[in-house]
Amino acid sequence: MDLHKLTIHELRELLANKEISVLELTEDVFKRIDDVEDKVKSFLTLTKEQALARAKDIDEKLAKGEKLGALAGIPVGIKDNICTEGVRTTCASKMLANFTPPYNATVMKKLESADAIMVGKTNMDEFAMGSSTENSAFFPTRNPWNLDRVPGGSSGGSAASVASDEVIFALGSDTGGSIRQPAAFCGVVGLKPTYGTVSRYGLIAFASSLDQIGPFTKDVTDCALVMNVITGHDDFDSTSVPMDHPDYTKFLINDIKGMRIGIPKEYFGEGIDPGVEAKIKEAIAKLEELGAIAEECSLPHTEYAMPAYYIIAPAEASSNLARYDGVRYGLRVEAEDVLTMFNRSRAQGFGTEVKRRIMLGTYALSSGYYDAYYLKALKVRNLVKQDFDRAFEKFDCLLTPIAPSVAFEFRSKADPLSMYKQDVCTIPINLAGLPALSLPYGLVDGMPVGLQLIGKPFDEGTLLRVAYTLEQNTDETRLKPVLGGSGR
Ligand code: GLN
């Protein structure tokens, strides 16, 4: 049986009925990795030995009838900016090429106590800055749907590993779209939870007021199952919200009758590929047919979200990345004096995009420009948030495209601005701290399209419900790639 093709919930059943062993499943997943990893290149590090040892361990516990966690024996890929004790964590940067964390991120502890099995660390844009995984200091990951195209980014390795069945699910991080856009490009489900829902402890910081960890899964049910494990308050992250999170599987309801869905007009039209737009409109029509009430609305400050993000995110990054100086953290290039050592370490350790962000952020925070740029951007952020607050007085959730186009070819977005524009539909959600789910919805030119469902704070449940209903009533959401293209 091709176990790697199955979902978490399907595998849980097979494991519970003792039809398969965890070792069988783990070996099958590594066989799949052997078969396709050369083409896709999802992973920076594989942890086969540890995974097989853990699999045997869990099988023994199963045999003894011990009670096991909710993800027992399920193979998972972890984005390489999430700290894993004893396993190299590089952020796809030369700066951290030899960094082995002495501790686990909180999400890793949670996955471990749920008895999931880590298969490896996935590729990404360096320090999560980018939208194509081309900024990895090591190599690009390829889109399993067409190896000549990017998988999206920055969590491109996580998205590609799930789409190509190298893992059953994966974790990524989303600062401005880095879970949702690669999920859309690779045709899998991705969720950015409400800011404060999943602990950021042990997530290597990019922009701390925006970063949030979330799941990549093959279907909506799996998304709920993973959310049940990774959410929760954490004393080690002061921005994690002290509240009880629901059992997310309770929202897997095939019924959206009477639900009010807002369609913000600023997310359609100019700049959005007509094929993508047509597909999203098809999804809206389907939702109406299923009993939802869809209505146009307006989020008037949308156009200012991207400029504000490209002040705020680089500002926070410039501060977060100051620690990589060859002394406290990261690569050290020896030199005759300490300043030259700092300079050389940072010049050789960081790639072009990371340096660009550090310069932008340092400039925006400098005393002469702080008010004109940083403070102004914070005010804009507030206006963006208020737009959403107003919309949610009327609607249960909002629906937009995830990205202006389907996955593009390598090197086709060479100038930074055209790459930044990839995130026009996803960035406002991070600025407002809201949850948003990326659901595959059919193909355009043979490549997956993603639709975005945006929710009220802590209302991931409504997003799961709408996505689940679409999944149950159409064939558009469960897509499987064929690993096509030349892969050159
Ligand atoms: N592509 C966006 C950026 O480069 C978002 C990245 C992210 O979400 N980590 O900043």
Side-chain angles (χ1 to χ4, degrees):
M1 204 188 317
D2 281 341
L3 299 176
H4 56 267
K5 289 199 176 135
L6 302 181
T7 60
I8 299 175
H9 56 98
E10 289 162 347
L11 289 165
R12 282 213 314 185
E13 218 173 294
L14 292 176
L15 286 164
N17 298 335
K18 303 220 175 339
E19 287 171 57
I20 58 166
S21 72
V22 177
L23 187 61
E24 254 174 86
L25 168 59
T26 314
E27 280 173 343
D28 183 72
V29 160
F30 277 102
K31 160 118 200 354
R32 175 69 179 169
I33 292 174
D34 283 345
D35 289 345
V36 303
E37 179 60 7
D38 258 8
K39 295 183 186 159
V40 184
K41 296 179 113 21
S42 307
F43 292 97
L44 290 169
T45 305
L46 285 165
T47 49
K48 186 169 180 179
E49 235 169 79
Q50 294 99 307
L52 293 176
R54 240 175 104 67
K56 285 180 199 151
D57 203 45
I58 297 170
D59 273 335
E60 267 168 40
K61 288 185 181 156
L62 274 172
K64 283 191 215 142
E66 280 180 35
K67 198 173 155 24
L68 284 163
L71 298 173
I74 307 293
V76 54
I78 303 293
K79 187 174 182 181
D80 211 22
N81 59 353
I82 296 175
C83 285
T84 43
E85 187 179 342
V87 176
R88 191 172 83 119
T89 299
T90 68
C91 253
S93 179
K94 285 192 190 139
M95 190 51 102
L96 290 175
N98 296 314
F99 174 57
T100 301
Y103 69 104
N104 265 330
T106 296
V107 286
M108 290 313 299
K109 284 192 219 143
K110 285 179 178 283
L111 286 180
E112 254 177 37
S113 41
D115 296 305
I117 297 184
M118 181 171 79
V119 163
K121 304 294 298 285
T122 57
N123 198 13
M124 53 185 281
D125 285 300
E126 183 177 6
F127 281 98
M129 297 172 187
S131 306
S132 68
T133 313
E134 291 170 288
N135 291 342
S136 167
F138 302 112
F139 48 79
T141 295
R142 298 192 183 118
N143 192 311
W145 287 84
N146 181 338
L147 299 170
D148 301 320
R149 298 196 185 202
V150 304
S154 64
S155 316
S158 288
S161 68
V162 175
S164 58
D165 294 320
E166 293 178 296
V167 295
I168 308 304
F169 74 104
L171 293 188
S173 67
D174 191 313
T175 306
S178 281
I179 291 175
R180 290 160 286 159
Q181 185 253 22
F185 278 15
C186 293
V188 298
V189 176
L191 176 66
K192 182 202 94 74
T194 311
Y195 187 76
T197 299
V198 179
S199 170
R200 290 181 298 108
Y201 179 71
L203 170 68
I204 296 177
F206 163 12
S208 312
S209 78
L210 301 159
D211 300 341
Q212 193 63 188
I213 294 173
F216 287 90
T217 56
K218 297 181 187 181
D219 70 5
V220 181
T221 301
D222 279 8
C223 182
L225 289 171
V226 178
M227 282 295 283
N228 276 354
V229 169
I230 63 173
T231 53
H233 176 65
D234 181 10
D235 284 339
F236 289 156
D237 173 4
S238 61
T239 62
S240 106
V241 179
M243 66 179 269
D244 289 328
H245 294 284
D247 171 357
Y248 292 95
T249 59
K250 294 245 156 63
F251 298 101
L252 301 172
I253 303 167
N254 179 4
D255 175 20
I256 49 161
K257 274 183 216 76
M259 197 174 276
R260 294 155 309 167
I261 302 179
I263 315 295
K265 62 171 193 248
E266 291 79 5
Y267 288 70
F268 294 84
E270 205 195 311
I272 306 292
D273 174 83
V276 168
E277 178 158 342
K279 214 63 210 165
I280 301 296
K281 297 242 158 98
E282 238 182 71
I284 297 170
K286 187 73 201 175
L287 287 167
E288 286 180 312
E289 192 188 310
L290 293 166
I293 304 154
E295 207 180 289
E296 189 180 273
C297 66
S298 173
L299 302 169
H301 296 94
T302 301
E303 67 173 302
Y304 306 110
M306 212 183 46
Y309 172 89
Y310 276 99
I311 299 289
I312 294 168
E316 294 185 20
S318 71
S319 159
N320 276 326
L321 272 57
R323 73 191 69 173
Y324 305 104
D325 55 12
V327 178
R328 288 171 295 175
Y329 282 98
L331 175 83
R332 178 180 191 134
V333 181
E334 296 295 350
E336 50 285 5
D337 61 77
V338 73
L339 268 184
T340 319
M341 186 275 287
F342 284 165
N343 279 339
R344 286 197 192 148
S345 300
R346 286 170 72 81
Q348 291 179 33
F350 290 134
T352 311
E353 184 57 31
V354 175
K355 286 180 190 156
R356 183 179 294 123
R357 306 274 178 121
I358 292 173
M359 285 192 280
L360 263 174
T362 309
Y363 180 80
L365 289 178
S366 59
S367 62
Y369 296 103
Y370 181 91
D371 288 2
Y373 292 109
Y374 183 67
L375 214 57
K376 186 111 175 220
L378 291 184
K379 289 178 184 163
V380 172
R381 181 176 190 171
N382 213 11
L383 292 172
V384 169
K385 167 87 173 59
Q386 287 169 6
D387 279 356
F388 283 110
D389 290 345
R390 265 190 294 273
F392 285 126
E393 284 169 13
K394 194 160 169 213
F395 297 106
D396 298 304
C397 67
L398 307 175
L399 191 154
T400 73
I402 285 284
S405 69
V406 294
F408 45 88
E409 291 185 350
F410 287 99
R411 291 174 288 277
S412 66
K413 305 259 182 272
D415 81 289
L417 281 185
S418 68
M419 190 67 88
Y420 296 174
K421 281 190 189 147
Q422 278 307 304
D423 302 307
V424 277
C425 305
T426 47
I427 276 174
I429 289 79
N430 298 72
L431 289 177
L434 301 172
L437 187 143
S438 179
L439 183 74
Y441 203 83
L443 304 176
V444 166
D445 301 332
M447 298 302 288
V449 175
L451 72 81
Q452 172 165 249
L453 295 163
I454 308 164
K456 298 175 187 170
F458 306 108
D459 193 19
E460 282 79 1
T462 296
L463 310 184
L464 290 167
R465 180 169 172 173
V466 176
Y468 184 76
T469 303
L470 272 179
E471 188 179 74
Q472 297 303 307
N473 292 284
T474 74
D475 296 325
E476 306 276 349
T477 71
R478 294 282 301 260
L479 311 171
K480 276 285 177 203
V482 286
L483 292 170
S486 68
R488 269 179 288 127

